[in-house]
Amino acid sequence: MPLAWLVLAATKNRRDLFATAPYALGDFSLLGNLGEVFTYNDGIFGRWLANSLLYTVVGSTLSALISVACGYAFHAYEFRHKEKLFGVVLAGILVPATVLQLPLYLMASAAGAVNTYWAYLVPALVNPFGVYLARVFAEGYLPDEVLAAARVDGAGELRLFAHVSFPMLWPGFVTIFLFTFTAIWNNFYGALTMLNDERLYPVSLGLFMWNRSVYQQPELYPLVITGSLVAVVPLVLAFLGLQRFWRSGLTAGAVK
């Protein structure tokens, strides 16, 4: 129901937004609203959208890759205190992200990274849940016999991971990527803590700043609503575009 209201409200002009019922149609003004969203304040919304795509695509890709590599290592190798270290990873899942924002801010401030792309991007690379999920996928999708056979054939450890293991773990990589993509795209509090230059804002923080000004600038109401609808589209496209990789049994028949 909220999403249906958002779609309908984004098609109304400011007069119809307040003069018509919430789920009633008004004059179709979606194209005009979109034009205003992308031209207001010298097109700052387009900058926010590009920032969000940069944060999420780069951050999600690197985070998923790191998580898969760590999960693979926990599955494929034996080393001292392996399970204790994995317990530390699991403990990291229990810590709410909000609790970490102040320590992360203090660390970024000490490093001189506050109000930079790095302050928002680097913390997103650490994903304890992704490591846990990657180990689960590795245990289910990567038989030990395949690793042993590849080593017998002379594959080095790096090649074993990149050319043998990673293609078999691709569904897990995509799953972690989508979870991380959603988390970074919606990471409002991290952006609010680390960034104060509007040119670095992701779209979630930019819309929040517009929404705070609607009482002084009522003309921003349609922009906030239409911008919110636009902000949902990349998430929908990501899930629709990658859902075909969510399949099981990719390694069926790999072991006779």
Side-chain angles (χ1 to χ4, degrees), residues 231-246:
V232 175
V233 173
L235 290 176
V236 175
L237 293 179
F239 274 86
L240 291 179
L242 296 175
Q243 66 177 348
R244 63 191 181 95
F245 295 106
W246 289 40

Side-chain angles (χ1 to χ4, degrees), residues 127 129 133 174-184 239 246:
N127 186 359
F129 179 73
L133 199 59
V174 174
T175 301
I176 297 169
F177 175 87
L178 287 175
F179 277 124
T180 310
F181 189 98
T182 304
I184 297 176
F239 274 86
W246 289 40

Side-chain angles (χ1 to χ4, degrees), residues 135-191:
R135 184 179 184 182
V136 172
F137 268 96
E139 292 175 349
Y141 281 72
L142 192 59
D144 293 332
E145 292 85 350
V146 172
L147 300 179
R151 290 190 176 103
V152 169
D153 289 339
E157 296 302 320
L158 185 59
R159 185 177 182 183
L160 180 62
F161 172 70
H163 296 282
V164 178
S165 302
F166 188 77
M168 300 170 72
L169 295 174
W170 181 250
F173 175 85
V174 174
T175 301
I176 297 169
F177 175 87
L178 287 175
F179 277 124
T180 310
F181 189 98
T182 304
I184 297 176
W185 189 271
N186 295 325
N187 184 15
F188 163 77
Y189 194 63

Side-chain angles (χ1 to χ4, degrees), residues 10 14 21 35 40 54 73 77 83 104-105 108 112 136 150 154 160-161 164 175 184 186-187 193 234 250:
R14 184 158 60 94
Y40 181 80
L54 172 66
Y77 302 110
E83 296 304 327
L104 287 173
Y105 173 79
V136 172
L160 180 62
F161 172 70
V164 178
T175 301
I184 297 176
N186 295 325
N187 184 15
T193 305
L250 186 65

Side-chain angles (χ1 to χ4, degrees), residues 61-236:
T61 302
L62 294 178
S63 179
L65 183 60
I66 293 171
S67 297
V68 169
C70 291
Y72 166 79
F74 275 115
H75 168 67
Y77 302 110
E78 294 295 332
F79 47 89
R80 293 184 60 187
H81 308 302
K82 169 181 170 180
E83 296 304 327
K84 292 181 180 178
L85 183 59
F86 189 67
V88 173
V89 174
L90 293 180
I93 300 176
L94 304 177
V95 181
T98 306
V99 175
L100 300 177
Q101 287 306 317
L102 179 58
L104 287 173
Y105 173 79
L106 295 176
M107 293 171 64
S109 178
V114 173
N115 204 36
T116 66
Y117 285 106
W118 301 109
Y120 187 79
L121 185 59
V122 171
L125 303 183
V126 181
N127 186 359
F129 179 73
V131 176
Y132 163 75
L133 199 59
R135 184 179 184 182
V136 172
F137 268 96
E139 292 175 349
Y141 281 72
L142 192 59
D144 293 332
E145 292 85 350
V146 172
L147 300 179
R151 290 190 176 103
V152 169
D153 289 339
E157 296 302 320
L158 185 59
R159 185 177 182 183
L160 180 62
F161 172 70
H163 296 282
V164 178
S165 302
F166 188 77
M168 300 170 72
L169 295 174
W170 181 250
F173 175 85
V174 174
T175 301
I176 297 169
F177 175 87
L178 287 175
F179 277 124
T180 310
F181 189 98
T182 304
I184 297 176
W185 189 271
N186 295 325
N187 184 15
F188 163 77
Y189 194 63
L192 181 65
T193 305
M194 295 292 188
L195 306 175
N196 52 45
D197 184 351
E198 70 171 6
R199 294 174 299 175
L200 302 179
Y201 286 173
V203 68
S204 58
L205 182 58
L207 289 173
F208 171 78
M209 293 303 179
W210 275 359
N211 191 55
R212 288 207 312 179
S213 304
V214 294
Y215 296 107
Q216 292 78 27
Q217 298 174 277
E219 67 274 9
L220 290 179
Y221 269 114
L223 274 64
V224 172
I225 293 171
T226 308
S228 299
L229 180 62
V230 174
V232 175
V233 173
L235 290 176
V236 175

